[in-house]
Structure formats: structure tokens, C-alpha cells
Amino acid sequence: PQGGGKRVYSLGAAGTCSSPGDLQEELQQLVLGEGDEALLVFSLIVFATLLTDGYQNLATSPQLHCVLNDNAVACSFAVVAGLLAFLGCLLFLTLDTLVARISSTRLKTTVLLLDFSISVIWVGVWFVGFCFLANQWQRSPPHRYLLGNSSAKAAIAFSFFSIPVWMALAYLALQDLRSDPPVPYKRSLDEGGVALTTLSSGTTTMGPNSLGYPGSMPPPYPTTPKTARLAMMNDN
């Protein structure tokens, strides 16, 4: 570039030079895709392991119990949360592929706002879920069931791993909202400013016969010459 300025370029995946802003956007999209895929696997592990080995029976009874302190609420919570998170990740993987094709600014902002809100909600859900599951596992009697210990530990571990990933996705969604703030009336305001500037530059100075209109524009109504008035005078 002229003037001695420096501009850094990097080689993109397609072999073309891209600016740092484009590279940052590509990395952000890569992190979003990898994060959704990781959460998809994490949620699958949480609800699948508890569905397979999370319910066990004692040797003296055929009745199934939750391996997390015999608390059916704990296993049900983990299964439902994992299943909903799995479906949510599938939805956002689809939206990530479609958001680049959305031309409407309002619709794109709505998608980003929905992404940020749901990510924040899932951070809270998995934080509460991890604390709840870990507490119930700590209260469980040791060696009460022959199987299910590894499944309970896996569900607790991956519920904890889901927390920072959802936080990262919420942060990236917030960065997208800040980088492209929704200003629906910005274009109309800019056009109004240009129109006012053009109008003020085209007007001329005010004169006695201008009536406040530009010199190149005729008055909105025709003017008639004024005739002399007759005055009544006394004979004296």
C-alpha cells in the first residue's frame, strides 16, 4: 500500500490471501462448529450412559434404582437435559450453516440473539446439573451396585465439560452482536442527513421578494401587483 502503511495478510484455506478480519471470522466460525459438535457428543454421553447403566437393581430385588443415591430425579434430570441439549445442538448446527445465507439483518440479529440466550440458559442448566449430580453421587453408598459406577462418573464429568463450552459459545454470540449492532433506522437517518445537506447547499440568501424559497424555485402561488389606494381628503 502507498504511504508506507503495513497490512498483514494470511493464506486462507482456499489458497487466497485474506485480511485479519476475515481470518478472525473464519476462526470464529470454526470454533462455533467445533463447539456445537463437542456439545453434541457430550450431551449424547450424558443421557446415553445413564439410560444404559444408570438404573440398576440389588441382588435381592429386581426393582431398578438410580445409581445416584437411589434418586430417580437425578437420573431423570440428567437424561432429559442431555436429550434436550442434543436436539438443541442439532438445531444450532443447522442454523450455523444457514446464517451465512441470511440476507435480512433483522433475521440474522434474531438468530444471534437466540443463540446467545440459549447458550446462557444452558450454562446455568449444566452448572446446576453438575452440582446436583455430584452431590447425589457423593451421598451414594459405596459398592451398592455392581454396575453403573462408570456411567454415573461419565455423566457427571461431561456435564461439567459442557459448562465452559456453552460459555465460549455465548461469548462468541455476544461478540457477533457487538460487531454488527442492529440499527434498523440507520440507513434512513443517513439518507435524511444527505438530503438536508443538499437542500441547505442549494438554497440562496433570503431577499425581500424571495419569501424564503430557493432562488431557482418559483413561489408556490402567483403574486399580483398592488394598486394605489384611494384616500378620502377634506375640501379644506
Side-chain angles (χ1 to χ4, degrees):
Q2 298 178 359
K6 295 182 179 180
R7 181 175 295 178
V8 180
Y9 290 96
S10 60
L11 188 63
T16 58
C17 292
S18 58
S19 61
D22 296 335
L23 180 61
Q24 183 179 1
E25 185 177 357
E26 292 177 1
L27 290 177
Q28 186 171 350
Q29 293 297 329
L30 180 62
V31 171
L32 285 173
E34 294 294 333
D36 289 335
E37 292 177 359
L39 290 173
L40 191 70
V41 176
F42 292 171
S43 57
L44 178 63
I45 292 175
V46 170
F47 80 87
T49 52
L50 289 180
L51 279 179
T52 54
D53 294 332
Y55 295 91
Q56 298 292 328
N57 64 301
L58 297 174
T60 58
S61 174
Q63 186 177 1
L64 295 177
H65 298 274
C66 179
V67 295
L68 297 169
N69 196 26
D70 293 339
N71 191 347
V73 177
C75 288
S76 300
F77 176 84
V79 170
V80 172
L83 182 59
L84 291 178
F86 181 81
L87 297 177
C89 291
L90 287 178
L91 176 62
F92 279 107
L93 280 174
T94 305
L95 289 178
D96 288 340
T97 58
L98 297 178
V99 70
R101 304 177 183 178
I102 297 176
S103 58
S104 176
T105 306
R106 182 174 299 179
L107 182 58
K108 189 174 182 180
T109 303
T110 303
V111 172
L112 292 175
L113 186 60
L114 181 64
D115 191 3
F116 172 73
S117 302
I118 293 181
S119 299
V120 172
I121 291 173
W122 275 110
V123 169
V125 169
W126 283 121
F127 178 77
V128 173
F130 167 73
C131 295
F132 180 48
L133 297 180
N135 179 264
Q136 294 301 311
W137 175 250
Q138 187 178 5
R139 295 184 178 182
S140 302
H143 308 293
R144 181 176 177 84
Y145 300 100
L146 298 177
L147 300 175
N149 294 333
S150 59
S151 299
K153 293 178 181 178
I156 294 172
F158 283 98
S159 62
F160 173 77
F161 295 154
S162 300
I163 298 174
V165 181
W166 280 110
M167 291 177 65
L169 294 182
Y171 174 75
L172 292 178
L174 182 62
Q175 290 296 107
D176 287 339
L177 287 173
R178 287 182 175 179
S179 61
D180 190 15
V183 185
Y185 303 107
K186 184 176 185 300
R187 183 176 178 181
S188 62
L189 290 175
D190 293 341
E191 292 176 353
V194 172
L196 289 176
T197 304
T198 306
L199 182 61
S200 62
S201 62
T203 57
T204 58
T205 58
M206 302 294 289
N209 297 325
S210 63
L211 298 179
Y213 293 95
S216 60
M217 297 176 60
Y221 52 88
T223 59
T224 57
K226 296 181 179 180
T227 58
R229 297 181 179 180
L230 295 177
M232 299 298 293
M233 301 180 63
N234 296 329
D235 294 337
N236 297 328

